């Protein structure tokens, strides 16, 4: 499983990086504490960027520096070693990391499904003229996900099971979400995971949503969150509390001000303003749904993404 290999590599990298110093936190001019946060430059991290712009972190005495990373292979070892104080990750990747023995904990939520079939941030997409009308008909067919053994294929398998099919029978192949429509048109796959900002374009250019896989898991399905190391939670509780409070304000503000979210997205991503104005935004809320996490954990265990159920009392705040 590719994600398992990435996390295993992260464990090795973390032991190497640990010699780099005592951590990223330091005092900056003006009495603010410097804090580094590793985040993928996608729409789901808009609340973090908007919170910095609105001064919510400075109100808590924090000077946040956002480090743009490609994913968990960079952010996980960075947090373990103390190179980053906090980082952004999807929930399944954190389940895997905990299963690999990494002492990591979520501090706050990051992005949540809208819970609305027909207007969510992820979908199982087929071509408009596909004969498929239900995810149950995907049994034995070839489906793409941008990363194998992770949140995409796990939620799609669950959606197929929920519709009466056999999720375990799907043949998953790795295809970047931005290339999914081409793969569908070339008959390389029968269905594809497509997420925003590519989902809106796909549905406007010959694609059709067969099902909404996040919604199929739970209407309150949390997709991602911000995490730190167990060491930081234990030894820097005041820092963790300040970051969590600032993120809570940022998430609440972002949910209440979607226009400002759409305005800030093009400033740190490659998403153009015209597309940012059209895409479906995730729901932003600070609290995690434990029920959703339990269902997701059971699905990940069922399909072999993880080897044991995650301890949510240790993982979630």
């Amino acid at each position: 499983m590719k994600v398992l290999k990435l996390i295993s590599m992260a464990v090795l990298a973390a032991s190497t990086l640990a010699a780099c110093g005592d951590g990223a936190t330091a005092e900056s001019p003006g009495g603010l504490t410097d804090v580094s946060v590793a985040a993928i430059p996608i729409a789901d991290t808009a609340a973090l960027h908007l919170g910095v712009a609105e001064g919510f972190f400075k109100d808590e005495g924090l000077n946040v520096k956002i480090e743009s990373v490609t994913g968990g292979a960079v952010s996980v070892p960075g947090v373990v070693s103390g190179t980053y104080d906090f980082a952004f990750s999807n929930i399944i990747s954190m389940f895997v990391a905990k299963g690999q023995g990494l002492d990591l904990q979520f501090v706050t939520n990051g992005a949540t499904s809208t819970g609305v079939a027909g207007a969510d941030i992820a979908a199982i997409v087929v071509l408009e003229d596909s004969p498929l009308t239900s995810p149950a008909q995907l049994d034995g067919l070839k489906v793409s996900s941008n990363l194998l053994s992770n949140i995409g294929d796990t939620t799609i398998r669950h959606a197929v099971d929920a519709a009466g099919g056999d999720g375990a029978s799907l043949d998953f192949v790795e295809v970047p979400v931005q290339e999914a429509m081409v793969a569908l048109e070339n008959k390389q796959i029968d269905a594809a995971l497509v997420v925003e900002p590519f989902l809106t374009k796909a549905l406007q250019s010959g694609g059709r949503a067969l099902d909404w896989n996040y919604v199929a898991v739970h209407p309150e399905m949390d997709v991602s969150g911000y995490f730190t190391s167990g060491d930081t939670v234990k030894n820097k509780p005041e820092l963790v509390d300040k970051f969590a409070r600032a993120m809570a304000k940022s998430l609440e503000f972002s949910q209440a001000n979607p226009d400002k979210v759409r305005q800030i997205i093009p400033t740190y991503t490659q998403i153009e303003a015209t597309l940012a104005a059209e895409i479906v935004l995730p729901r932003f809320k600070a609290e995690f749904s434990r029920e959703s996490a339990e269902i997701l954990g059971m699905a990940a265990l069922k399909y072999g993404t993880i080897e044991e159920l995650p301890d949510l009392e240790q993982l979630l705040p």
Side-chain angles (χ1 to χ4, degrees):
M1 298 178 185
K2 184 173 181 180
V3 68
L4 293 176
K5 292 179 181 177
L6 289 176
I7 297 298
S8 296
M9 291 170 62
V11 176
L12 178 62
S15 63
T16 302
L17 288 171
C20 293
D22 295 327
T25 310
E27 199 74 17
S28 67
L32 299 177
T33 300
D34 287 334
V35 176
S36 62
V37 184
I40 308 169
I42 56 176
D44 291 15
T45 57
L48 172 64
H49 290 266
L50 195 53
V52 171
E54 293 292 326
F56 298 143
F57 291 93
K58 285 188 176 180
D59 290 345
E60 293 289 345
L62 304 179
N63 179 45
V64 168
K65 180 180 180 181
I66 302 173
E67 302 283 353
S68 181
V69 298
T70 55
V74 176
S75 61
V76 168
V79 167
V80 171
S81 69
T83 301
Y84 306 127
D85 296 297
F86 303 92
F88 175 89
S89 172
N90 80 57
I91 288 186
I92 291 287
S93 290
M94 284 289 284
F95 287 173
V96 173
K98 290 291 284 186
Q100 291 288 312
L102 294 180
D103 185 15
L104 302 172
Q105 296 181 36
F106 275 121
V107 174
T108 182
N109 204 340
T112 299
S113 162
T114 66
V116 180
D120 199 24
I121 55 177
I124 306 169
V125 174
V126 296
L127 292 179
E128 186 64 48
D129 60 358
S130 170
L132 300 174
T133 59
S134 166
Q137 297 171 318
L138 289 173
D139 285 8
L141 298 185
K142 187 169 289 187
V143 184
S144 73
S145 181
N146 62 312
L147 183 62
L148 302 184
S149 298
N150 209 278
I151 196 165
D153 52 359
T154 299
T155 55
I156 290 176
R157 290 188 194 278
H158 179 89
V160 170
D161 280 349
D166 180 10
S169 73
L170 273 59
D171 178 16
F172 271 96
V173 296
E174 190 168 305
V175 176
V177 287
Q178 62 269 34
E179 299 174 14
M181 286 301 295
V182 173
L184 283 170
E185 291 164 358
N186 291 338
K187 310 299 182 184
Q188 296 170 302
I189 53 176
D190 300 290
L193 167 71
V194 185
V195 300
E196 292 291 16
F198 306 101
L199 180 56
T200 292
K201 285 286 189 180
L203 299 180
Q204 292 174 349
S205 57
R208 170 170 56 86
L210 183 66
D211 199 16
W212 304 83
N213 46 304
Y214 290 174
V215 180
V217 171
H218 194 282
E220 297 284 337
M221 198 196 98
D222 300 312
V223 181
S224 55
Y226 294 87
F227 69 94
T228 190
S229 67
D231 181 70
T232 297
V233 172
K234 179 181 178 180
N235 297 316
K236 301 179 181 179
E238 185 177 355
L239 174 68
V240 173
D241 288 345
K242 288 180 177 181
F243 181 81
R245 285 196 299 267
M247 273 305 312
K249 292 178 186 176
S250 302
L251 290 159
E252 181 181 1
F253 184 84
S254 297
Q255 182 64 23
N257 295 274
D259 288 345
K260 290 199 172 185
V261 172
R262 296 182 188 280
Q263 290 169 9
I264 203 165
I265 287 172
T267 67
Y268 68 91
T269 72
Q270 295 183 342
I271 303 172
E272 295 181 356
T274 52
L275 180 57
E278 296 182 332
I279 62 174
V280 175
L281 297 175
R283 196 181 334 172
F284 297 107
K285 61 185 182 70
E287 298 298 323
F288 284 95
S289 164
R290 273 173 165 71
E291 184 176 80
S292 166
E294 287 173 358
I295 294 172
L296 201 54
M298 288 187 289
L301 178 66
K302 178 179 180 179
Y303 306 122
T305 307
I306 56 178
E307 295 181 355
E308 60 182 19
L309 285 174
D311 185 343
L312 297 182
E313 293 304 313
Q314 291 185 359
L315 182 61
L316 300 182

